Amino acid sequence: MSKSKVLLTSLVVAVAFVASASVAMAAPIKIKFSHVVAENTPKGQMANKFKQLIDERLGGKVIVEVFPNSQLFGDNKVLEAMLLGDVQIAAPSLSKFKKYTKSLQIFDLPFLFKDMAAVEKFQQGPEGQKLLMATKKKGLIGLGYLHNGLKQLSASSPLRVPADAKNKKFRIMSSDVLAAQFEAVGAMPLKKPFSEVFTLLQTRAIDGQENTWSNIYSKKFFEVQPYITESNHGVLDYFVITSTEFWMGLPDDLRPQIKKALDEAILFGNTVAAEKAIADRQKIIDSKRSEIVTLTDAERQQWVNVMKPVWKQFEDQIGKNFIEAAIKSN
Ligand code: LMR
């Protein structure tokens, strides 16, 4: 080999060595996943499953840190934090996106979905998939939907018919549709963070709230709410979200692997959600701290009649096509 060829070969070897060393030493990608619920809930378990899958498959290259119980951010701040790069993944309830899109308000329309199968069908159908991009203009993209379940009404007195809710104060998530829903029955809705609900109920600063069985159980609302009306009047699901900047900035070989782990974690979370809706309801009954109010068909129909006009109020903001597709999913 000529002298210059030897020189060139050693140069190539040296460059390759430096390059591979720098790849090996590349700082891991950090994903902070912030949420507001307890770890033993559908969302808490989904987030932990995502971390576990990433640790197993991409350990060293990607590090997931999960922050439950509003430890890092409440849902009123988490999306701003995401846009600033302080959080990479979150899964706020679909009711908490009004600053970013009006279309997701569809999920708050009372009595729209008859059960969780209908919710799943709509989310996985063409309109539901289109809605994953509803916040894109604001720099956020939906990576998927996660279930929690149908909401029930808890209160300090039994709620059988809409008149029972009149002049009562209910905590709601930060959604104008939910405000309209409670105003329709003559109640007073108050938008408050999830982290404050227990104390508000305990101190009787408010009379009631609406939530899923797993949230009512895991945050002990049933201990300070003697009545829970099994109304199944609306859905509480999550938008698993990231910032476009973070997502598109991921290396092309890692992005699909992270998405796959997330999809698997969501499927796992959905199974947990279905199980918890049954198991946590039973635990609340067994505790005898709270009485479950079962509505007759005629009583339930009264709630439907009073709350359903809210759909028309928000039809223009949401889009009639989305509402029609949701109705068809039933
Ligand atoms: C609530 O604020 O009631 C829920 O969005 C909490 C949650 O994340 O399930």
Side-chain angles (χ1 to χ4, degrees):
M1 219 189 280
S2 71
K3 233 178 173 185
S4 63
K5 259 197 178 162
V6 170
L7 203 67
L8 189 68
T9 314
S10 23
L11 203 67
V12 168
V13 170
V15 167
F17 178 76
V18 170
S20 69
S22 68
V23 166
M25 277 159 39
I29 293 163
K30 281 210 179 135
I31 299 182
K32 287 188 188 164
F33 189 147
S34 167
H35 68 83
V36 299
V37 288
E39 284 190 276
N40 64 350
T41 55
K43 182 160 57 184
Q45 293 203 37
M46 173 264 173
N48 291 349
K49 175 63 113 188
F50 173 61
K51 178 183 166 46
Q52 179 205 322
L53 294 175
I54 292 291
D55 283 351
E56 283 166 14
R57 296 173 190 174
L58 297 171
K61 286 192 200 162
V62 181
I63 295 174
V64 176
E65 287 177 294
V66 180
F67 299 89
N69 292 312
S70 312
Q71 263 166 27
L72 194 58
F73 293 106
D75 281 339
N76 52 343
K77 284 275 175 290
V78 74
L79 298 176
E80 285 165 34
M82 186 171 275
L83 288 169
L84 293 172
D86 294 336
V87 169
Q88 285 67 43
I89 297 185
S93 142
L94 287 155
S95 314
K96 295 177 179 171
F97 285 88
K98 82 160 190 244
K99 272 205 227 152
Y100 301 87
T101 173
K102 300 284 180 212
S103 314
L104 291 177
Q105 294 183 117
I106 187 165
F107 291 100
D108 286 337
L109 295 180
F111 299 103
L112 177 59
F113 297 103
K114 86 171 187 320
D115 53 25
M116 290 308 291
V119 175
E120 171 73 14
K121 196 166 162 194
F122 174 74
Q123 289 174 348
Q124 299 312 324
E127 273 77 14
Q129 291 299 298
K130 219 183 275 170
L131 286 176
L132 289 175
M133 289 297 135
T135 53
K136 196 164 174 229
K137 276 195 202 133
K138 304 271 179 170
L140 299 169
I141 41 178
L143 297 172
Y145 297 99
L146 171 71
H147 297 321
N148 186 324
L150 296 176
K151 289 180 292 185
Q152 320 302 335
L153 285 168
S154 76
S156 46
S157 56
L159 305 175
R160 290 207 155 273
V161 291
D164 295 334
K166 204 168 163 33
N167 296 327
K168 299 235 154 47
K169 291 189 192 129
F170 288 87
R171 175 268 173 174
I172 56 165
M173 296 180 274
S174 55
S175 151
D176 292 343
V177 177
L178 298 180
Q181 168 196 279
F182 278 101
E183 279 157 7
V185 299
M188 287 178 274
L190 289 143
K191 291 176 183 163
K192 293 283 178 192
F194 187 59
S195 54
E196 289 176 24
V197 182
F198 180 85
T199 307
L200 289 168
L201 294 171
Q202 191 186 34
T203 57
R204 296 285 172 110
I206 56 172
D207 303 292
Q209 61 89 46
E210 53 164 24
N211 232 305
T212 59
W213 291 114
S214 92
N215 281 349
I216 294 172
Y217 180 72
S218 60
K219 287 292 176 193
K220 301 190 183 341
F221 299 161
F222 70 102
E223 293 186 0
V224 286
Q225 289 275 267
Y227 299 96
I228 304 174
T229 299
E230 189 159 29
S231 52
N232 291 319
H233 63 281
V235 62
L236 196 166
D237 266 12
Y238 305 113
F239 207 42
V240 182
I241 196 148
T242 188
S243 82
T244 318
E245 196 182 332
F246 169 73
W247 194 246
M248 296 324 291
L250 284 170
D252 284 343
D253 60 325
L254 289 183
R255 194 183 306 108
Q257 297 187 66
I258 295 172
K259 178 69 167 60
K260 188 163 179 288
L262 203 56
D263 289 344
E264 288 176 38
I266 288 175
L267 277 182
F268 174 74
N270 285 346
T271 313
V272 174
E275 287 165 6
K276 288 226 162 255
I278 298 167
D280 289 350
R281 173 183 178 278
Q282 192 55 46
K283 284 182 194 156
I284 292 170
I285 295 172
D286 294 345
S287 77
K288 299 195 167 56
R289 301 287 292 262
S290 192
E291 186 184 314
I292 312 285
V293 177
T294 309
L295 302 177
T296 64
D297 288 349
E299 284 167 347
R300 191 165 192 274
Q301 192 55 44
Q302 285 195 45
W303 291 92
V304 176
N305 293 347
V306 182
M307 286 182 167
K308 213 167 150 180
V310 166
W311 294 18
K312 260 265 158 296
Q313 231 176 296
F314 289 88
E315 188 181 275
D316 288 348
Q317 290 184 30
I318 294 168
K320 207 171 172 186
N321 55 322
F322 288 120
I323 300 179
E324 277 167 1
I327 295 169
K328 274 203 200 121
S329 69
N330 280 311

